[in-house]
Amino acid sequence: MVLEFILPIFMELITDPIKQYIVTPITRHIGYAFKCNSKVQTLQDEVEQLKNKQVRLQQSVDDVTRNGEKIYPNVTKWLGTADKDIEEAEKLLQQKEEAKNKCFVGLCPNLKFRYQLSKNAEKKASAIDKLRNEQGLDSISFQSPLKQIVEPSVYSREALPSRVLILNQIMDALRDPNLNMIGVYGMGGVGKTTLAKEVQAKAVEEKLFETVVVVTVSQTLELRRIQAEIADFLGLTFDVEELPGRASQLYKRLENSKVLIILDDLWQKLDLYAVGIPFGDLFKGCKIMLTSRNKYLLSSEMRAQKLFSLEVLGEDETWRLFEISVADAKDPKLHAIAIEVAKKCAGLPLLIQLVATELQNQESYVWNDKLNQLSTFGDEEIYERVYRVLESSYENLPGKEAKSFFLLCALFGQSNIRIQHLLTHTIGVG
């Protein structure tokens, strides 16, 4: 346009003060009306570049989110702002066709509309350019500690008051600021692992600790595995391979944290410092709960400050648990034999659950066979009785594949086996 050529020449002829305070502002505003097309094109270019960056960033966010990572708030805010700016810009861009409309019976452009569109386009393009070049988006996510997933409670105040009582006593001990290590002992099958899970659930529910870690130790001490499982709960990634270095990193992470570490099924002394677990009066935030069959191990070797003995269930509680576990026990035709079978379980929750599982929806002759099997052992042969029931449960597994899978699980020597590990090994053995 003619004005675009005249304005620069006119500006050269005006003195600096007048140019600075009067002419320049007027010229800038006049220019909006005559530079509408270039302003709109600049906005369109900015929108395209912002969309490209938004798509790439959103893809990265989706990838890390699928891996369970948390997104930094500034990244989430940036994506939200980008959505809003793109939407507003596209509404402006839709008006560029209207800018071609003319006024005064079609003799001249609609300068007022072009002025408003040009000015708004410039403002939005500037905002988008600033957003597109915003810093701090190189790191978009972080690993958060694993969410505390706990099993539903199996304790019933009506059915198992003795278990509820000891659970409450343990919780009181964990609240005691003067206690940092407690132990639970009892014979195999009495329910120590179940109690440990109940303590975990209760501690999470009451938010007594930032994190509650449960690790099955088992007969073979695997320090590296124990370290790894604790680190997983804490969201900690080791950047060293040797045990002492990993222990130092774990120790540093735990020393100022309010954490409950439950070490289940201890068979021999465990060097807590070798693992990287701080304990003692200087680390009251980190509390430890141990379970074992061996009272001496907990008291003398691990030096637990307070011990709890987990005994077998009484006859009434045995029957209540059995009745809850197998609905057929209430059948009038099976009630009498059910009572005898329950008694033969000797108050061991493990045995009660195993027998109940085998007898669910079975005919009366299966109940009689099970009673005869359990009756062949004396009261002192409780472990042999458990073994026979386990053997019977194994033999009743449906097919060779199920049995093979069970044996594979048994080789791990722990209860909380990772699915991905099982998948790796099952593929490996065909």
Side-chain angles (χ1 to χ4, degrees):
M1 286 193 176
V2 177
L3 189 61
E4 293 184 51
F5 296 101
I6 295 176
L7 281 176
I9 299 172
F10 178 69
M11 293 290 289
E12 291 295 328
L13 300 175
I14 300 174
T15 60
D16 287 341
I18 297 176
K19 183 189 299 183
Q20 180 179 356
Y21 296 107
I22 299 175
V23 178
T24 299
I26 294 174
T27 305
R28 185 175 68 250
H29 283 283
I30 293 175
Y32 282 129
F34 295 97
K35 295 181 180 179
C36 181
N37 290 338
S38 64
K39 298 289 186 185
V40 169
Q41 185 60 51
T42 299
L43 174 60
Q44 192 164 346
D45 293 341
E46 287 288 347
V47 168
E48 289 303 317
Q49 293 182 66
L50 181 62
K51 282 183 176 179
N52 291 336
K53 182 169 183 176
Q54 183 197 37
V55 168
R56 290 194 297 270
L57 183 60
Q58 186 64 58
Q59 183 62 55
S60 299
V61 166
D62 292 342
D63 289 343
V64 297
T65 300
R66 281 192 290 271
N67 292 330
E69 296 184 30
K70 294 289 185 181
I71 307 302
Y72 285 116
N74 70 306
V75 176
T76 304
K77 182 181 178 181
W78 190 95
L79 288 170
T81 304
D83 277 335
K84 182 180 177 182
D85 281 356
I86 289 171
E87 182 182 355
E88 292 174 351
E90 288 181 337
K91 287 181 180 178
L92 286 174
L93 292 173
Q94 289 171 4
Q95 299 176 26
K96 65 181 180 181
E97 292 301 320
E98 296 180 44
K100 297 178 182 178
N101 296 335
K102 298 181 182 294
C103 61
F104 293 111
V105 200
L107 296 177
C108 68
N110 189 335
L111 295 179
K112 180 181 179 181
F113 185 85
R114 291 170 65 86
Y115 169 84
Q116 291 174 337
L117 176 58
S118 180
K119 187 174 182 180
N120 290 335
E122 182 185 67
K123 182 178 179 181
K124 181 54 66 177
S126 175
I128 289 177
D129 179 68
K130 182 180 179 181
L131 180 67
R132 186 169 55 81
N133 291 293
E134 186 174 309
Q135 301 298 312
L137 297 175
D138 294 333
S139 179
I140 65 172
S141 64
F142 60 96
Q143 285 281 1
S144 60
L146 295 182
K147 183 180 179 181
Q148 294 281 276
I149 300 176
V150 296
E151 297 181 15
S153 175
V154 297
Y155 281 11
S156 165
R157 291 186 178 276
E158 293 76 21
L160 302 173
S162 68
R163 291 305 191 259
V164 174
L165 176 62
I166 195 169
L167 172 62
N168 291 335
Q169 291 173 343
I170 290 173
M171 298 309 298
D172 288 339
L174 292 175
R175 295 186 193 98
D176 189 338
N178 297 314
L179 297 176
N180 51 58
M181 187 188 296
I182 63 172
V184 177
Y185 66 93
M187 65 184 299
V190 79
K192 298 184 297 297
T193 296
T194 300
L195 178 60
K197 291 178 179 178
E198 293 287 338
V199 170
Q200 178 195 23
K202 193 78 170 173
V204 170
E205 177 190 347
E206 296 183 6
K207 298 180 180 179
L208 293 180
F209 302 89
E210 296 168 10
T211 309
V212 182
V213 180
V214 181
V215 178
T216 302
V217 180
S218 72
Q219 287 179 276
T220 304
L221 286 181
E222 300 174 88
L223 298 188
R224 182 176 293 274
R225 176 183 62 80
I226 295 170
Q227 289 175 332
E229 290 190 26
I230 296 175
D232 279 348
F233 274 95
L234 299 171
L236 172 66
T237 301
F238 294 117
D239 54 23
V240 293
E241 288 299 321
E242 298 302 320
L243 285 173
R246 289 159 62 98
S248 295
Q249 289 187 342
L250 188 57
Y251 190 95
K252 184 177 181 180
R253 172 66 176 80
L254 288 170
E255 62 179 341
N256 295 313
S257 300
K258 193 174 183 181
V259 179
L260 171 61
I261 298 178
I262 301 176
L263 300 173
D264 186 36
D265 197 24
L266 208 62
W267 285 74
Q268 55 184 296
K269 184 178 180 180
L270 175 64
D271 187 341
L272 297 177
Y273 282 122
V275 175
I277 302 175
F279 66 97
D281 293 337
L282 296 178
F283 307 100
K284 293 188 176 181
C286 183
K287 298 205 172 190
I288 303 165
M289 174 178 164
L290 311 170
T291 76
S292 177
R293 300 184 184 187
N294 191 331
K295 178 181 178 182
Y296 177 81
L297 170 64
L298 298 180
S299 62
S300 298
E301 297 191 36
M302 297 303 299
R303 299 185 180 279
Q305 295 164 292
K306 190 167 186 177
L307 297 182
F308 298 89
S309 174
L310 193 60
E311 306 293 340
V312 297
L313 298 175
E315 192 170 304
D316 288 343
E317 289 187 335
T318 296
W319 168 247
R320 290 183 196 136
L321 181 58
F322 187 81
E323 190 179 34
I324 291 171
S325 303
V326 53
D328 294 343
K330 299 176 182 179
D331 187 335
K333 297 178 182 179
L334 297 172
H335 185 71
I337 190 172
I339 291 176
E340 294 304 314
V341 170
K343 288 179 181 178
K344 294 298 181 181
C345 291
L348 283 179
L350 173 64
L351 194 52
I352 295 168
Q353 297 286 351
L354 287 170
V355 171
T357 301
E358 283 197 66
L359 294 178
Q360 189 69 46
N361 300 320
Q362 296 294 339
E363 300 294 333
S364 58
Y365 74 89
V366 178
W367 284 74
N368 283 307
D369 288 346
K370 182 56 62 177
L371 178 60
N372 291 333
Q373 182 192 53
L374 294 171
S375 298
T376 59
F377 303 101
D379 291 339
E380 71 283 353
E381 298 174 298
I382 188 64
Y383 286 115
E384 183 67 19
R385 196 180 311 182
V386 172
Y387 174 82
R388 291 302 179 193
V389 172
L390 284 170
E391 183 181 40
S392 174
S393 299
Y394 170 77
E395 294 298 337
N396 289 333
L397 288 173
K400 293 182 179 179
E401 285 188 353
K403 292 179 180 178
S404 176
F405 183 69
F406 172 82
L407 293 175
L408 175 63
C409 292
L411 289 174
F412 280 84
Q414 60 189 88
S415 58
N416 53 339
I417 309 169
R418 295 187 179 185
I419 298 298
Q420 59 264 40
H421 291 174
L422 284 174
L423 181 61
T424 301
H425 287 284
T426 50
I427 291 175
V429 298

